Structure formats: C-alpha cells, structure tokens
Amino acid sequence: MSDSNLFFKLINSTYEAVCREKMSKNVEFFFQNLTYVAIGTIIGNICLFAFNALGGRYLGPAEYGKFTLINSVATFLYIPMLFGMSSAIVKYNSETNEYHKQKSIISTTYILILVATIFSTLFYIGFSSKIADILSIHLNMFYFSILFALITALHTLTTNTLRSLHRMKIFSILKLIYGFALLFSFIIFIRIEGLSYKSMLFPMYISAIIISVYILVTNIRKYLALTFDSHWAKTLIIYSSYNIFNSVSFMLYSNIDKILINKYMFVENVGVYYAYNISSISIMNVLSGIIINVLFPTICKYEDKKNITNKINKFMPLSLLVGFVTIICTQYIILNIYGKQYPINFQLMLLFTIVSLLFFCYNTYMWIFNSLGIAGVKITMYGSVVIAIIDIILNIYLIPRYGLFGAIGSTALAYCAGLFVIYNHKNMI
C-alpha cells in the first residue's frame, strides 16, 4: 500500500473517531438535559395537578368551569401576541452558540413580539364587548382573559428563549419552582378570595410573572438590545407565518370544545370535561413535553434527522402501551381526588385515553417536521389546519347530540386525520 493511501486512510479513521466522539457527547448531552427536564417537569406538574384537582374539588364544577373558560379564551388571545415567534426563536437560536448572533436573533424577536402584543391588546380592549358576546363569556371574565393572555405570552416567550440557549438545568429548576409557587399561592388566595374562580386565576398570574421576570433579569437581559436585524426579522416572520397556523389550529382544537360545551350545555359541564382533560390529555402532554422540550432544540442542530427519527419510531409502540396503562390509572386516581361532583364514566375515560395517545403521536412527529425548517413547518401546518377544521365541524354537530362524548369523539377523529397528513409526507425526513 502506498504512503499516500496510508495517509488518507489515517485521516479517514481519525475523522470517523472524532465524529463518533462528538456524537457520543451529543447523545450524553441530550440525555443529561432530558433527565433535568424530566425531574423538574414531573415534580412541578405534580404540584400543578394538585392545584387543579384541589381547585376543582373545593370550587365545584361551576366556578372551576369559569376558570377553565377564562383559560381557554386566553389561549386564543395570546396567539397574535406571539405570532408563532416563540417556536421560531427556539428553531434558529438553538442552531448557534455565537453570542452576537444569538443577541441579534433574541433582540429582533422581542421587538417583533412587543409590537404584535401592543396592537393585539388594543384591538381586544377596543372590541371587548363584541368579542365577549361571540365567545359567550361575561365581559369581566373576558378582561381577565386578556390579562391572562399577556402573562402567558411573556411566560412562553421567556421559557422558550431559555430552551433556545440550551439552559435546560435552569429551565427544569424553574418548572419546579413554578409548581410550588402555584400551589402555595393557591392556598393563600383560597383564604383571601374564598371559593371563587379568582382564587385559582390569581396564583397563575403571580407564578408566571415571577418566573418570567427572573428569567429576563438573570438569563436574557444581556442578549436584549435596541437592535433590529432585518435579515433575521424576515427569516423569523417567514417561519412564523407558517407556524402560526399550527398555533391557531392547536388552540382551536384544544379549546373550542370547552367553549362550545359552554354554549350548548352548561358551565358546570365545562368543569367536568376539564377534569377529564387534566387527568388524561394533560398527563400525556407533560410526558410529551419532557421529550419535546429537549428534542426540538437538539434535533435542530443536526442536518440528518433520520437516525433520531428511526430511534423514535422504535420507541413509539412501547410508549403507547405504557401510556395507555398510565392514563387509565391516572384518570381513575385524579377523578377520585376531584370528588363526587365529577362522576366517573369508564367509556368517557377510554375515549380520553385514546385521544391522549393520538395527541402524543402527533405532537412528537410534528416537532420533528418543524425541525426541518420552513419545508417541514408547512407540512405540520397542513396537518394542524385539517385537525382544526374537522374538530370544529364535528364539535358543532356532535356536542348538541352526544354532549361530552361528542366533544372528545370529535377530537379523536380529527387527530386521526392530522396523523394521516403527516404520515403521507414521512419520506421528507
């Protein structure tokens, strides 16, 4: 063998060794972050579930239903405030470790969101009476929803910025602190406000503000400047213009059922429906969130997503099996904690369990596609829009006829349609 061949062979073997070492470090970094997020999220959400279960038990379905309604309306209102930018910042900021580039992305994003938030808030206040009538909600509750939307937008933006900087350890600790602050302040407010929806609402305001301000002061402040980069603004807006359809669709199909239940039935039914939601879909949302909070910023760093996707495909059947057993058990336990005012119906439990598993599948693959950039987010946009349209049509038709069964059945069929859309584009990954 010639000296030149030996030389190139040596170079090639050295390169492969470096790649293996780099991949090993990245995998180790991923699982380390996953562990941090899992611990903080699980403990924090135990407090969150205790907050919801105790709130529902003490307040009763009517007041708990009002809290749920304000929460659902706020979820719609904060979409134009963020305009999909909170996902865009994770996508592009997580791809670089260069300080000046991160500073430019973060500053530009915050300026865009500030402008969008100001215009959205002025619009909501100016047309508050008409919007409240359309949504079948009292005006004072609508104002609470606007405030909730503002705080939620700030909390989502700051925590996503933290994720984009790969500061998962701090992110995990703050998840834990948020849960404790929520539960502790609820105990205080239930003594001050009594058995009112406000005794659940105000603790959420306070906890989210505390976490958001802390992140801004300690972790993000050095990245903020009065600089606006037109290149990054264009990139962020293009990505967000597609992603906002995902956000709008998600908020529609995850909240329209509660608003329509209030319209066609009673606010007490909203409270019962939300109790089932908390004990099933929200549990799966937590488990899914643990993975996505780490997976999305990590997978964005790789050009080739296929290896990670293949591992997720192998992991999925076992996840669904474990998820089915977990959700059935947690529903029964949590609904019993809620109390006798929230009747246990095993057919309804089964439907919520199925929707939880469908949500987990769709959410996981949606974020894998989103990591591909604009081409991927277009596909998830189509999937999410299909889910929203089918869910709204079926809810309007089925809720008056089948009540809560119609609401959750509509969501199950809609998710099946969304998964079909994504599955037809699996070759893109």
Side-chain angles (χ1 to χ4, degrees), residues 56-61 272 338-343:
R57 185 183 182 93
Y58 290 126
L59 268 61
V272 172
Y338 268 91
K340 294 179 180 179
Q341 293 174 297
Y342 302 82

Side-chain angles (χ1 to χ4, degrees), residues 131-151:
I131 299 172
D133 287 340
I134 293 170
L135 296 174
S136 302
I137 186 173
H138 292 296
L139 188 59
N140 63 327
M141 291 171 66
F142 181 70
Y143 287 132
F144 278 125
S145 295
I146 295 174
L147 182 56
F148 202 169
L150 285 166
I151 295 169

Side-chain angles (χ1 to χ4, degrees), residues 5-264:
N5 286 338
L6 284 171
F7 174 76
F8 286 116
K9 188 175 181 181
L10 178 63
I11 291 294
N12 188 52
S13 62
T14 304
Y15 174 76
E16 289 178 355
V18 169
C19 287
R20 283 196 299 270
E21 184 181 354
K22 185 178 180 181
M23 180 61 73
S24 176
K25 287 181 178 178
N26 285 330
V27 170
E28 184 182 344
F29 180 68
F30 173 80
F31 281 105
Q32 186 182 58
N33 282 336
L34 191 65
T35 303
Y36 289 146
V37 173
I39 293 170
T41 302
I42 290 170
I43 297 174
N45 276 279
I46 288 172
C47 295
L48 181 61
F49 289 127
F51 164 78
N52 273 289
L54 292 173
R57 185 183 182 93
Y58 290 126
L59 268 61
E63 289 298 310
Y64 189 59
K66 291 177 184 177
F67 163 75
T68 303
L69 202 56
I70 292 170
N71 194 341
S72 295
V73 171
T75 306
F76 282 108
L77 299 183
Y78 92 93
I79 294 171
M81 297 177 181
L82 290 178
F83 197 75
M85 294 285 179
S86 60
S87 296
I89 197 174
V90 178
K91 160 65 183 167
Y92 293 106
N93 208 42
S94 63
E95 292 178 345
T96 179
N97 292 320
E98 185 185 333
Y99 169 72
H100 292 291
K101 193 173 181 180
Q102 289 179 329
K103 185 174 183 179
S104 181
I105 294 170
I106 292 172
S107 295
T108 303
T109 304
Y110 276 58
I111 290 171
L112 288 170
I113 288 176
L114 179 63
V115 172
T117 300
I118 290 170
F119 278 103
S120 299
T121 305
L122 291 174
F123 176 82
Y124 295 146
I125 293 172
F127 295 92
S128 55
S129 297
K130 291 182 179 179
I131 299 172
D133 287 340
I134 293 170
L135 296 174
S136 302
I137 186 173
H138 292 296
L139 188 59
N140 63 327
M141 291 171 66
F142 181 70
Y143 287 132
F144 278 125
S145 295
I146 295 174
L147 182 56
F148 202 169
L150 285 166
I151 295 169
T152 302
L154 177 63
H155 185 247
T156 303
L157 178 60
T158 52
T159 52
N160 274 9
T161 306
L162 205 59
R163 286 174 59 210
S164 76
L165 295 169
H166 298 282
R167 296 182 182 174
M168 295 303 179
K169 190 172 183 179
I170 299 171
F171 177 83
S172 172
I173 293 169
L174 292 177
K175 277 271 188 184
L176 192 151
I177 293 171
Y178 175 81
F180 280 119
L182 191 61
L183 193 55
F184 179 74
S185 54
F186 169 68
I187 294 169
I188 294 173
F189 270 97
I190 206 167
R191 294 178 179 275
I192 298 171
E193 283 291 330
L195 301 178
S196 162
Y197 68 87
K198 295 176 186 177
S199 59
M200 291 189 74
L201 199 60
F202 292 157
M204 293 202 79
Y205 288 170
I206 293 168
S207 302
I209 289 171
I210 289 171
I211 298 300
S212 301
V213 171
Y214 177 81
I215 294 172
L216 279 170
V217 172
T218 60
N219 288 273
I220 301 175
R221 184 177 57 179
K222 68 177 183 178
Y223 293 96
L224 293 176
L226 293 174
T227 55
F228 187 81
D229 189 310
S230 57
H231 163 72
W232 280 116
K234 183 179 178 181
T235 303
L236 291 162
I237 289 171
I238 291 172
Y239 185 91
S240 299
S241 63
Y242 291 108
N243 191 54
I244 188 139
F245 284 98
N246 282 332
S247 300
V248 171
S249 300
F250 175 76
M251 299 313 168
L252 278 170
Y253 62 72
S254 60
N255 290 282
I256 194 68
D257 46 6
K258 303 174 191 71
I259 292 172
L260 290 175
I261 288 169
N262 179 62
K263 183 179 180 66
Y264 294 122

Side-chain angles (χ1 to χ4, degrees), residues 362-377:
Y362 184 80
N363 197 44
T364 301
Y365 289 110
M366 181 186 76
W367 285 107
I368 292 173
F369 271 88
N370 284 349
S371 71
L372 298 173
I374 293 171
V377 83

